[in-house]
Amino acid sequence: MEDIVKKRIKEVRKGDHNAFGEIVELYKSKVYQLCYRMLGNSHEAEDIAQEAFIRAYVNIDRYNIDRKFSTWLYRIATNLCIDRIRKKKPDYYLDAEIAGTEGMNMYSQIAAEGMLPEDEVTSMELQALIQREILNLPEKYRSVIVLKYIEELSLNEISEILDMPLGTVKTRIHRGREALRKQLRHI
Amino acid sequence: MSSCPDYIIEFMHEYLDEEIPEEHKQELKEHLQICADCKQHFNELVKTVALVQSTSHIQTPENFTEKVMMHLPREKKKVGIKRWFGRHPILTAAAVFIIFMTASVFASWNQDDNFSVTKNKNIIIENNTTAVVPEGKTVEGDIVVKNGDIRIEGKVDGNVTIINGNNYLASAGTVTGEIEEINKVFDWLWHKIKDISSEVLQLFNSDKDAK
């Protein structure tokens, strides 16, 4: 897969617009997933994921062809997410889909409250709960947890993406896991 | 659990990172068998990881790729030019060469705006701007005057070239060779080229003569 990607990148560098479309097609799911879990909002996630691809295109000459492309791309996406999180003021849209759910927004949440017995946690609600706890993590723990458990990347790759020493990555994953454990232990 | 050593928790994380050395693994295993609190802590961590991993895959929005492609910046001219240079190194080198050549030609044209004249004992300088060949004197060889005038009252046995100046040939004066006045860059350039080619020709001829 990396070989195909590198071939496409060489074509993009020569000015072949369409070759980039193939790259987007290959990585859009991973990148969108990353942004969604980092930001917890489908509008923002789409916005940032698109921005990440556009930046990759604009800076394609700066990509070192000897390195793994996905690492470089995830790095752009992660940095954009972190920037967005830092700038973000807490905002809630009632009509925005609730994190981790499909077709559920705050209106249905308000209506649903009290209707379901607490022990009858549906799978959808569980998903929402987990996503909420991921979002409650401080950004520095959230990024490592998302990269490790949602994107299933190795610790080495995470260290490269976030440009931080392996030891720091490990410490953050440990703390992130402990923080999540405290929130999710009673499920 | 409060009485348990901290490194037990560390071992749990090493285990979850799949980077646990065998001896740590053994120790952790043994400890978990005897310590219910730690066992619970461990189970909670394992469950947490499983829960996070269980989050379902979120569908990428429709037309995502099309939207990205629509928003890609049009290729900037600058990028195009840069790429062109990158792909045509020889033409680029030629262009750079021509630019430097032109620059140096103009520079040498503008550089020496001082009055100068070929040295000869029979040439007299007037007012620092005019070279004079006095009556009754004969200059043997060519004369080149730059940025000044020449007045010939005597005789010149050769060519006279005036760059950026005028020549006044008195009625009594004679020049056996050609008189050339150069006042423009291109004339000057042409003169240079002629000069060089005649030199080359001479070289060629003398070569032939030698044979």
Side-chain angles (χ1 to χ4, degrees):
Chain A
M1 161 132 161
E2 275 288 313
D3 286 344
I4 299 171
V5 170
K6 281 174 185 169
K7 213 176 135 203
R8 292 287 169 272
I9 286 166
K10 281 177 191 154
E11 288 164 5
V12 173
R13 282 181 176 171
K14 282 181 196 153
D16 186 349
H17 219 246
N18 294 336
F20 194 72
E22 286 183 51
I23 292 173
V24 177
E25 207 48 46
L26 280 171
Y27 288 104
K28 64 175 185 185
S29 168
K30 290 272 188 192
V31 171
Y32 179 73
Q33 197 77 358
L34 170 69
C35 297
Y36 185 82
R37 294 297 174 194
M38 287 292 284
L39 302 165
N41 171 314
S42 55
H43 296 294
E44 274 186 304
E46 186 175 0
D47 205 30
I48 296 292
Q50 287 195 12
E51 178 70 23
F53 280 110
I54 291 165
R55 292 224 181 165
Y57 178 84
V58 172
N59 295 307
I60 198 76
D61 286 328
R62 276 201 244 164
Y63 161 64
N64 179 352
I65 204 109
D66 301 326
R67 313 289 282 268
K68 213 170 160 185
F69 178 72
S70 58
T71 305
W72 187 70
L73 182 61
Y74 291 161
R75 185 176 185 153
I76 295 173
T78 312
N79 285 339
L80 285 172
C81 287
I82 291 171
D83 280 355
R84 176 60 67 98
I85 292 165
R86 286 178 185 164
K87 276 186 211 146
K88 190 154 88 168
K89 297 169 193 114
D91 51 4
Y92 297 99
Y93 305 102
L94 278 181
D95 64 344
E97 259 183 30
I98 292 171
T101 65
E102 270 175 23
M104 236 172 118
N105 56 33
M106 282 290 184
Y107 290 122
S108 61
Q109 185 68 358
I110 293 163
E113 205 127 38
M115 283 169 75
L116 288 169
E118 247 189 51
D119 53 359
E120 221 179 275
V121 181
T122 65
S123 145
M124 211 177 249
E125 282 180 313
L126 180 62
Q127 294 274 320
L129 184 71
I130 296 165
Q131 172 71 17
R132 198 166 63 226
E133 293 308 337
I134 293 174
L135 289 176
N136 277 339
L137 288 174
E139 156 264 299
K140 59 180 179 173
Y141 301 147
R142 198 189 311 169
S143 41
V144 287
I145 291 286
V146 168
L147 291 171
K148 169 85 181 151
Y149 291 113
I150 308 288
E151 300 287 338
E152 297 174 318
L153 298 172
S154 73
L155 296 178
N156 279 317
E157 267 181 286
I158 298 171
S159 133
E160 219 180 307
I161 289 168
L162 296 173
D163 194 22
M164 61 176 63
L166 194 58
T168 314
V169 172
K170 281 186 191 170
T171 313
R172 290 190 177 180
I173 288 184
H174 297 182
R175 301 222 172 114
R177 269 197 300 246
E178 287 295 340
L180 282 174
R181 180 191 70 90
K182 289 197 181 90
Q183 300 304 319
L184 297 173
R185 61 199 281 199
H186 295 304
I187 292 171
Chain B
M1 196 178 104
S2 51
S3 61
C4 297
D6 283 345
Y7 65 74
I8 292 296
I9 302 275
E10 272 307 304
F11 289 180
M12 290 181 197
H13 286 288
E14 285 179 0
Y15 177 85
L16 292 170
D17 287 341
E18 293 169 357
E19 288 193 338
I20 190 165
E22 198 50 42
E23 61 266 34
H24 290 183
K25 197 172 170 181
Q26 274 307 316
E27 200 175 338
L28 178 64
K29 220 167 161 182
E30 282 161 22
H31 183 82
L32 292 182
Q33 274 165 0
I34 55 162
C35 178
D37 284 343
C38 283
K39 189 161 176 58
Q40 198 195 339
H41 189 113
F42 182 71
N43 286 340
E44 283 168 9
L45 278 175
V46 172
K47 189 170 89 175
T48 300
V49 168
L51 282 171
V52 173
Q53 283 175 322
S54 78
T55 52
S56 61
H57 190 85
I58 303 287
Q59 205 62 41
T60 312
E62 272 179 45
N63 305 326
F64 183 86
T65 308
E66 287 78 0
K67 283 187 205 160
V68 170
M69 298 307 283
M70 253 167 48
H71 286 103
L72 289 188
R74 283 229 142 267
E75 263 194 11
K76 283 181 201 146
K77 271 224 170 92
K78 216 172 86 187
V79 176
I81 289 167
K82 226 166 74 184
R83 192 177 289 137
W84 188 89
F85 279 147
R87 264 191 283 156
H88 301 93
I90 293 171
L91 282 176
T92 307
V96 169
F97 176 76
I98 287 168
I99 288 166
F100 277 106
M101 269 304 284
T102 320
S104 70
V105 162
F106 276 94
S108 60
W109 166 255
N110 289 323
Q111 209 173 40
D112 41 14
D113 46 4
N114 293 327
F115 171 71
S116 73
V117 66
T118 312
K119 261 210 174 109
N120 192 299
K121 61 178 170 19
N122 288 332
I123 295 174
I124 299 166
I125 315 282
E126 255 179 27
N127 307 329
N128 244 348
T129 54
T130 312
V132 180
V133 179
E135 233 181 308
K137 302 263 182 182
T138 302
V139 176
E140 281 174 20
D142 300 343
I143 303 175
V144 176
V145 186
K146 256 193 212 168
N147 304 307
D149 303 335
I150 185 163
R151 200 167 72 239
I152 302 165
E153 290 159 358
K155 195 182 169 196
V156 178
D157 224 357
N159 299 330
V160 177
T161 306
I162 306 111
I163 299 165
N164 258 352
N166 298 308
N167 94 82
Y168 306 103
L169 189 60
S171 51
T174 44
V175 176
T176 57
E178 286 170 24
I179 301 176
E180 200 178 3
E181 275 184 51
I182 299 163
N183 286 321
K184 295 202 176 78
V185 170
F186 290 107
D187 285 354
W188 182 74
L189 201 67
W190 176 236
H191 165 73
K192 276 267 176 195
I193 292 166
K194 263 201 324 202
D195 232 31
I196 292 167
S197 50
S198 73
E199 261 170 50
V200 170
L201 261 169
Q202 248 168 38
L203 206 77
F204 191 67
N205 285 339
S206 64
D207 225 37
K208 260 212 284 210
D209 290 348
K211 276 176 190 170

